[in-house]
């Protein structure tokens, strides 16, 4: 059941992040899901760092707060990917 929650959270967070960030990000539903899952880990780790003051690789659960944290992490992931892609061109 945990894997299904990760897939749902990834698709939801990735789709919302792609809708918020201006421009064309490309990718299919699988890339959107991976973006959301990576965003969940980035957002969860940053949330853990702000809350506890220590870096722990963690991710939020499937809740409203978890989706918000995952979307913020996915927006950061889109920004980082765009920055690295422009640097390599």
């Amino acid at each position: 059941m945990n894997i299904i929650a990760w897939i749902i959270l990834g698709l939801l967070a990735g789709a919302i992040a792609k809708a918020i960030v201006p421009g064309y990000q490309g990718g299919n539903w699988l890339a959107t899901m991976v973006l959301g899952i990576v965003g969940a880990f980035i957002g969860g780790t940053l949330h853990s760092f702000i809350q506890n003051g220590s870096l722990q690789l963690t991710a939020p659960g499937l809740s409203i707060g978890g989706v918000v944290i995952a979307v913020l992490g996915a927006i950061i992931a889109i920004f980082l990917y765009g920055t690295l892609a422009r640097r390599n061109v």
Side-chain angles (χ1 to χ4, degrees):
M1 191 64 178
N2 210 4
I3 293 174
I4 294 172
W6 276 101
I7 291 171
I8 292 170
L9 179 66
L11 280 171
L12 188 62
I16 293 172
K18 279 186 172 185
I20 291 174
V21 175
Y24 177 73
Q25 286 82 34
N28 56 7
W29 65 271
L30 186 62
T32 302
M33 182 179 62
V34 170
L35 170 69
I37 292 172
V38 168
F41 275 110
I42 291 172
T45 302
L46 287 176
H47 181 263
S48 172
F49 179 71
I50 291 170
Q51 196 171 37
N52 301 333
S54 64
L55 279 176
Q56 299 173 352
L57 186 60
T58 182
L62 188 58
S63 64
I64 299 291
V67 171
V68 170
I69 290 172
V71 168
L72 292 175
I75 290 171
I76 292 170
I78 290 173
F79 174 74
L80 291 174
Y81 179 76
T83 302
L84 293 175
R86 275 185 290 219
R87 188 175 288 174
N88 291 332
V89 171

